[in-house]
């Protein structure tokens, strides 16, 4: 299709790259974990006997688990500093890692505490378990929360995740909020570190209420304001390639969103049975004051239904998110490498990135090159290069190894490289680029895998 977007003059000089706050955020999170351990240390005298050691270890695991629950929820509150500066994909990986830590700490807490109490009371493990669950204050609620957290952990395991729909995984994942709420109260009523310690109790309330405020603000109130103010609707749908469609969305005062080339929104189309699912799709052209565009490949039920959208369909969007933007650029030359529908954010960057830009587009056949006409037009307009890596007549895939990349781009090590495509494609390219001498800080990638 002919793009509905006017072409802009790309700046000739790349601005200094903005430093990611990822290191500072991680340092803050680990400092919080150290403070939690210090809380146990200052409240604990000498540890004596097997029961004391088991109970002490269980208390540490419980405190860290409680802290990890708050971190787990906070990481997915969609805070702009994290989503746009650190990167949504990196934050999602931190969330997944925090989830694994949380489940392991929870299991350790349960086992160690019950073993310690059983040794202390000289009772059987089964008897001690029933006593703790049924007789201790707030433990019945905590038990239900524990069951939910384990269910969330099981459905998040890769082997299970592959066999379940995104919708099922998403709605089970939302139960994490319920689990954390149910488990919160027993931490204060049964935790020795909080009994009679006003400062520690206040700090725990601040931690949890602060995270809750972030969730309510950025996941509820901000999206509601965005959609009430900008009133998004489908303008048109266009076929770009086999199974690939562009959706143009019209709205009011869209420039106020601050969306940038390379970013994405989470979209709900309130029609055709698609309103129950929120899916991330990148902008496939620089946003305009009244229009935005995404380009989607039919890879599942939701993406396949995009082709059936009708003009006028209401749209619910959240964003913008993502850090695959011009802010990462640190060199005067850039190489964009797209695999399949990964062309969408890179097409927008191809138009707007300053300096000398080369685009390498990997696809099976020429018929699969979505947005090819636009790419050629942009290349002519700004004097850039578009290169294609297509399968041969015999179906053989072209090699994108270090040697072929260096042969194609002789001064490759002096480029910023932006990658977007399937996970395996991006992983192999990263290894090839590192072998070719491209510094890690100049390889930019963002994944939407959940």
């Amino acid at each position: 299709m002919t793009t509905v977007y006017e072409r802009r003059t790309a700046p000739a000089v790349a601005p200094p790259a903005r430093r990611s706050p990822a290191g500072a955020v991680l340092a803050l999170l680990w400092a919080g974990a150290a403070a939690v351990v210090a809380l146990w240390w200052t409240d604990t005298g000498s540890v004596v006997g097997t029961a004391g050691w088991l109970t002490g270890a269980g208390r540490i695991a419980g405190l860290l688990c409680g802290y990890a629950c708050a971190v787990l929820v906070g990481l997915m509150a969609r805070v702009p500093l994290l989503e746009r500066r650190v990167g949504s994909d990196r934050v999602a990986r931190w969330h997944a890692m925090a989830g694994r830590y949380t489940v392991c700490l929870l299991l350790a807490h349960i086992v160690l505490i019950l073993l310690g109490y059983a040794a202390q009371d000289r009772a059987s493990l089964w008897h001690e378990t029933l006593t703790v669950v049924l007789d201790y204050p707030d433990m019945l609620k905590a038990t239900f929360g524990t069951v939910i957290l384990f269910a969330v952990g099981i459905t998040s395991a890769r082997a299970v995740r592959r066999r379940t729909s995104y919708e099922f995984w998403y709605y089970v994942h939302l139960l994490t909020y319920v689990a954390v709420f149910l488990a919160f109260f027993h931490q204060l009523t049964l935790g020795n570190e909080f009994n009679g310690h006003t400062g520690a109790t206040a700090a725990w309330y601040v931690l949890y209420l602060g995270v809750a405020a972030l969730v309510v603000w950025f996941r509820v109130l901000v999206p509601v304001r965005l959609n009430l103010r900008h009133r998004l609707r489908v303008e048109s749908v266009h076929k770009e390639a086999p199974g690939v469609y562009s959706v143009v969305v019209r709205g009011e005062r869209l420039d106020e969103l601050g969306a940038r080339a390379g970013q994405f929104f989470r979209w709900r189309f309130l029609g055709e049975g698609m309103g129950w699912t929120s899916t991330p799709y990148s902008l496939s052209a620089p946003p305009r004051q009244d229009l935005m565009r995404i380009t989607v490949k039919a890879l599942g039920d939701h993406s396949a239904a995009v082709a059936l959208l009708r003009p006028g369909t209401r749209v619910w969007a959240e964003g913008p998110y993502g850090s695959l933007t011009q802010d990462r650029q640190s060199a005067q030359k850039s190489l964009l490498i797209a695999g399949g529908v990964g062309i969408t954010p890179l097409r927008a960057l191809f138009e707007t990135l300053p300096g000398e830009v080369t685009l390498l587009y990997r696809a099976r056949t020429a018929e699969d090159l979505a947005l090819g006409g636009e790419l050629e037009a942009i290349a002519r307009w700004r004097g850039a290069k578009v290169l294609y890596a297509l399968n041969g007549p015999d179906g053989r895939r072209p090699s994108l190894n270090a040697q072929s990349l260096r042969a194609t781009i002789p001064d490759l090590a002096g480029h910023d490289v932006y990658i977007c495509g399937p996970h395996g494609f991006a992983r192999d390219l990263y290894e090839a680029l590192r072998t070719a001498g491209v510094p890690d800080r100049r390889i930019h990638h963002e994944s939407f895998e959940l």
Side-chain angles (χ1 to χ4, degrees):
M1 67 174 275
T2 301
T3 180
V4 295
Y5 299 88
E6 75 274 12
R7 293 174 189 155
R8 306 174 183 181
T9 302
V13 179
R18 296 177 68 183
R19 187 178 181 87
S20 170
V25 173
L26 281 177
L28 181 63
L29 294 179
W30 284 111
V36 168
V37 175
L39 177 63
W40 172 84
W41 181 269
T42 56
D43 186 67
T44 303
S46 59
V47 180
V48 180
T50 301
W53 282 104
L54 288 171
T55 305
R59 287 171 57 196
I60 295 175
L63 284 168
L64 288 173
C65 181
Y67 172 73
C69 282
V71 170
L72 191 70
V73 174
L75 286 175
M76 296 310 286
R78 296 178 185 167
V79 179
L81 172 68
L82 300 179
E83 296 285 333
R84 302 176 192 175
R85 295 287 308 281
V86 174
S88 297
D89 62 332
R90 182 182 290 184
V91 173
R93 289 195 297 271
W94 289 355
H95 173 77
M97 183 179 297
R100 291 190 287 271
Y101 286 158
T102 301
V103 172
C104 291
L105 287 167
L106 178 58
L107 184 61
H109 170 62
I110 294 170
V111 172
L112 292 169
I113 282 291
L114 290 176
L115 287 174
Y117 284 1
Q120 180 178 304
D121 296 340
R122 302 179 185 274
S124 69
L125 186 61
W126 175 249
H127 178 271
E128 197 65 40
T129 301
L130 290 178
T131 300
V132 169
V133 171
L134 298 178
D135 297 341
Y136 283 37
D138 295 314
M139 272 305 304
L140 204 55
K141 289 186 292 185
T143 300
F144 283 120
T146 297
V147 171
I148 293 173
L149 277 178
F150 279 133
V152 172
I154 291 170
T155 57
S156 298
R158 187 169 298 178
V160 178
R161 178 69 186 89
R162 290 197 197 101
R163 292 169 172 79
T164 57
S165 68
Y166 169 78
E167 290 79 9
F168 176 79
W169 172 88
Y170 176 77
Y171 287 110
V172 169
H173 225 63
L174 287 181
L175 293 175
T176 302
Y177 298 124
V178 178
V180 171
F181 174 78
L182 290 173
F184 173 74
F185 298 100
H186 93 285
Q187 299 176 50
L188 298 180
T189 55
L190 298 177
N192 291 342
E193 293 76 15
F194 303 109
N195 291 330
H197 296 79
T198 306
T201 302
W204 215 245
Y205 269 111
V206 168
L207 174 65
Y208 272 78
L209 291 177
V211 168
L214 291 177
V215 171
V216 171
W217 182 260
F218 290 113
R219 296 204 64 160
V220 179
L221 298 181
V222 168
V224 167
R225 179 184 182 277
L226 182 157
N227 288 279
L228 289 178
R229 181 170 179 77
H230 299 290
R231 301 181 181 277
L232 303 174
R233 292 186 180 271
V234 172
E235 173 79 4
S236 57
V237 180
H238 307 269
K239 185 176 182 179
E240 302 287 3
V244 180
Y245 292 84
S246 283
V247 181
V248 178
V249 175
R250 180 175 293 277
E252 302 174 4
R253 302 181 294 273
L254 298 184
D255 54 314
E256 296 177 4
L257 292 173
R260 307 179 64 194
Q263 291 188 309
F264 67 93
F265 287 75
R266 288 181 168 88
W267 306 86
R268 292 181 193 269
F269 299 100
L270 307 182
E272 309 298 338
M274 301 172 67
W276 291 101
T277 304
S278 173
T279 306
Y281 296 126
S282 295
L283 299 175
S284 61
R288 254 178 45 174
Q289 184 174 0
D290 57 343
L291 295 173
M292 296 188 291
R293 188 185 71 179
I294 59 175
T295 301
V296 180
K297 184 173 182 178
L299 298 173
D301 293 340
H302 186 275
S303 54
V306 165
L308 305 176
L309 289 172
R310 299 176 181 178
T313 299
R314 292 180 59 195
V315 180
W316 182 276
E318 300 174 33
Y321 302 122
S323 63
L324 194 70
T325 66
Q326 179 182 321
D327 286 345
R328 292 193 179 186
Q329 191 179 31
S330 60
Q332 298 301 317
K333 299 180 180 180
S334 298
L335 171 64
L336 315 180
I337 308 179
V341 78
I343 189 61
T344 52
L346 299 191
R347 180 264 178 247
L349 284 170
F350 189 48
E351 181 175 337
T352 58
L353 272 181
E356 182 181 316
V357 183
T358 301
L359 173 66
L360 176 59
Y361 191 175
R362 166 77 181 102
R364 286 193 298 271
T365 67
E367 189 181 32
D368 295 317
L369 294 171
L371 308 174
E374 294 182 21
L375 298 174
E376 295 287 352
I378 293 171
R380 289 193 298 271
W381 156 66
R382 63 174 298 173
K385 296 178 184 177
V386 180
L387 308 173
Y388 302 105
L390 306 177
N391 290 359
D394 58 353
R396 184 176 300 175
R397 296 165 58 93
S399 176
L400 295 180
N401 55 31
Q403 291 74 26
S404 64
L405 290 171
R406 273 199 301 255
T408 303
I409 312 291
D411 57 342
L412 179 60
H415 284 64
D416 275 297
V417 183
Y418 290 77
I419 305 171
C420 193
H423 178 70
F425 170 83
R427 182 190 62 241
D428 293 344
L429 262 178
Y430 174 82
E431 296 298 332
L433 290 165
R434 293 293 289 122
T435 302
V438 182
D440 182 76
R441 68 180 184 279
R442 288 188 175 172
I443 302 175
H444 315 304
H445 171 248
E446 199 159 54
S447 168
F448 300 114
E449 289 199 349
L450 299 170

